[in-house]
Amino acid sequence: MIDEPFAAGNTLLHRRDARVKILSAAALSLVLALTSSFLVAGIGGLLTALLLALSRPDPRLLLQRLARVNLFTCFLWFTLPLTYGGEEIRTIFTLPLSAEGIRVATLITLKTNAILFAFLALLVSSPLAA
């Protein structure tokens, strides 16, 4: 049996048509994935965080999902600032720490979380059969 803990609920987002939510999540994700702007990524993150709050997910399950995805971004934070190149701001064990690497890791983290929020708010708030 498929467990759908986020689909249980009676919020405004739970009652919306699944097709509209799929299209909305796809459009938001496409814009967020393709942007290189911190402003767009930040606004997208705030918008999707608001949508996620409106869907009222179980906080414990939400934190578990966020931890899984952000474990991946931790690896980016360990590698990108040390290997990306660009302006060196510090040296760690003979490896240059770059400002551009930190910028890229920050942008990827913002975009990843915003896309995850969009999918959790819009897609998993519908049963799989819908």
Side-chain angles (χ1 to χ4, degrees):
M1 182 175 217
I2 298 173
D3 187 26
E4 298 176 326
F6 289 103
N10 192 24
T11 66
L12 179 66
L13 285 175
H14 286 87
R15 294 188 301 262
R16 296 299 106 196
D17 186 7
R19 294 171 291 194
V20 172
K21 293 192 290 187
I22 289 170
L23 290 174
S24 300
L28 271 169
S29 298
L30 185 64
V31 168
L32 289 168
L34 295 177
T35 190
S36 59
S37 165
F38 275 97
L39 180 64
V40 173
I43 290 171
L46 290 174
L47 174 67
T48 56
L50 176 65
L51 288 172
L52 186 60
L54 291 174
S55 71
R56 291 191 224 137
D58 179 11
R60 185 180 55 81
L61 294 173
L62 177 64
L63 288 176
Q64 286 175 350
R65 302 262 172 112
L66 288 173
R68 288 178 189 155
V69 170
N70 284 302
L71 182 62
F72 167 72
T73 59
C74 284
F75 291 117
L76 293 175
W77 277 94
F78 289 129
T79 58
L80 283 176
L82 298 173
T83 61
Y84 193 78
E87 178 189 345
E88 180 181 321
I89 58 172
R90 183 163 275 159
T91 303
I92 299 176
F93 301 116
T94 69
L95 294 171
L97 184 67
S98 74
E100 287 82 7
I102 293 171
R103 180 192 175 286
V104 169
T106 304
L107 186 61
I108 290 172
T109 301
L110 277 171
K111 290 164 51 167
T112 302
N113 282 293
I115 291 170
L116 176 65
F117 291 171
F119 276 85
L120 288 174
L122 297 170
L123 296 185
V124 299
S125 61
S126 295
L128 187 60

